Amino acid sequence: MRDYLISFLNRQEYSKEDLEYLVSCYDKIQNNATAKECFEKALKLYDEDINCEYGDIIGLADAAAKELYIYEYTAELLIFLLFTKKLKERYDEKGLSAEIFDATVKDFRYQMQVCKQTRGIIGTHCADWCMGFIRMTRFCLGRFQYEIIKFGYDYKKGDKVLTPDTKVLNLHIPASGEPLSQELAKESLKMAKEFYKDEIGEPFACKCSSWLLYPEHEQMLDKSSNIYRFMKMFDCFDYGIEKNNHDLPRIFGTCEMRPEYLPEKTSLQRAYKKHLLAGGKTGYGVGVLFL
């Protein structure tokens, strides 16, 4: 499994430093009987059942971390990375392409980058989010990630009607660093419609709930910006304000919450800093897009 881990990290373009650190943590686990047993139990749970109990997996990873005095976030990331060996077998069994597999599991690296930025730790930023990839309920198709959900609202536009129980695609924008361009967005949506054509009926709709759809962007952002143009692709029908500004790390890559100390490296950061200094808050919008 050590050789697999190194091969996977190289193929997924982890930096030399991150690879060496993760492999060193794996070696520590293998050299400690208690931690090794925890990891073996977790791997067996996943090997035997793709829908194994999530809490048990995280509990075993955290127990191994505690035994070795390493960060729980690191042990959790290692578990998910090791799961990808069995996950690839399951992709192959279902006839899913290597391209979709590689794109989907890149999210573990994106999660690690966010964890490094906000916590200074090589680990996973949000372990429960990772389960959607491991359980094969969420896939990356081009620029976006998708999963089937119930719409959760009553909504009508012309002859298109959605109910709370209507199956739609939930669209998520991973922190991949790729531009949020119209070209990449349309290409991804086309891929999604083809991929899910036998599972989603008409009307074929995508739902997105994200800070990127926050209505305040109408006043904050330039109309030519990628975020503004992405927002305008959706019919935004609901929104919310985050009183604790918890989306700031997504925008600024730091856990700093005091507006006056936030960086101003990008036009988005400058717009948000100005907004916050004027008493504004972060928030989100909920939108629907028919394909």
Side-chain angles (χ1 to χ4, degrees), residues 14-289:
Y14 284 68
S15 71
K16 182 175 182 291
E17 294 76 14
D18 292 339
L19 184 153
E20 290 176 349
Y21 179 75
L22 288 166
V23 173
S24 71
C25 290
Y26 174 80
D27 289 341
K28 288 179 182 179
I29 289 166
Q30 292 302 299
N31 291 326
N32 180 286
T34 300
K36 181 179 179 181
E37 183 180 6
C38 288
F39 263 55
E40 288 177 346
K41 285 181 178 179
L43 287 168
K44 185 178 180 182
L45 283 173
Y46 182 66
D47 282 350
E48 293 178 348
D49 182 7
I50 194 172
N51 295 311
C52 55
E53 178 56 45
Y54 159 76
D56 291 344
I57 290 171
I58 297 303
L60 288 164
D62 292 351
K66 186 176 181 180
E67 177 71 20
L68 295 171
Y69 296 94
I70 64 175
Y71 288 109
E72 293 173 350
Y73 305 114
T74 306
E76 291 164 5
L77 175 60
L78 273 172
I79 281 287
F80 292 126
L81 296 177
L82 296 174
F83 281 171
T84 61
K85 187 173 189 293
K86 182 64 177 181
L87 179 64
K88 181 59 168 64
E89 294 176 11
R90 289 176 166 141
Y91 267 64
D92 292 343
E93 289 168 4
K94 290 188 175 294
L96 297 175
S97 72
E99 289 78 12
I100 293 176
F101 173 81
D102 287 336
T104 299
V105 297
K106 278 182 181 178
D107 199 83
F108 300 137
R109 178 159 58 85
Y110 307 154
Q111 289 275 328
M112 184 194 71
Q113 295 296 343
V114 175
C115 192
K116 287 173 66 176
Q117 288 177 348
T118 58
R119 299 178 179 133
I121 297 167
I122 296 175
T124 188
H125 177 66
C126 187
D128 57 352
W129 176 255
C130 295
M131 293 306 297
F133 305 111
I134 291 300
R135 287 179 173 156
M136 295 179 69
T137 59
R138 188 183 305 114
F139 300 93
C140 184
L141 305 169
R143 181 64 180 88
F144 305 134
Q145 297 164 350
Y146 303 90
E147 61 196 334
I148 296 174
I149 61 169
K150 292 183 178 180
F151 186 62
Y153 295 82
D154 286 306
Y155 183 84
K156 182 177 181 180
K157 181 179 182 181
D159 61 348
K160 296 179 173 63
V161 178
L162 301 174
T163 71
D165 290 327
T166 302
K167 286 201 301 184
V168 300
L169 289 186
N170 186 43
L171 183 154
H172 176 72
I173 308 92
S176 64
E178 292 182 279
L180 194 60
S181 69
Q182 291 284 291
E183 180 182 3
L184 291 178
K186 291 176 180 178
E187 178 185 1
S188 177
L189 291 164
K190 181 179 179 181
M191 293 171 66
K193 188 164 187 179
E194 175 64 23
F195 187 84
Y196 288 100
K197 64 183 179 182
D198 296 328
E199 299 179 72
I200 301 290
E202 291 295 337
F204 196 108
C206 286
K207 176 185 175 184
C208 182
S209 179
S210 172
W211 69 271
L212 294 165
L213 303 187
Y214 187 36
E216 286 292 298
H217 290 167
E218 291 272 6
Q219 288 73 46
M220 294 167 55
L221 303 181
D222 189 278
K223 303 301 183 286
S224 63
S225 74
N226 282 338
I227 291 177
Y228 182 86
R229 295 173 70 194
F230 173 75
M231 180 177 73
K232 284 302 183 180
M233 293 175 67
F234 292 81
D235 295 326
C236 294
F237 59 88
D238 197 8
Y239 74 96
I241 296 172
E242 304 291 357
K243 294 181 180 179
N244 60 358
N245 287 332
H246 86 274
D247 279 322
L248 288 186
R250 299 178 186 272
I251 301 164
F252 293 96
T254 174
C255 286
E256 177 61 66
M257 300 299 285
R258 295 168 294 179
E260 60 270 26
Y261 294 108
L262 291 170
E264 301 179 50
K265 298 178 181 178
T266 67
S267 58
L268 178 65
Q269 289 178 350
R270 290 189 289 273
Y272 256 93
K273 184 170 181 177
K274 181 179 178 181
H275 173 72
L276 293 166
L277 288 171
K281 299 289 185 181
T282 62
Y284 63 91
V286 184
V288 62
L289 170 64

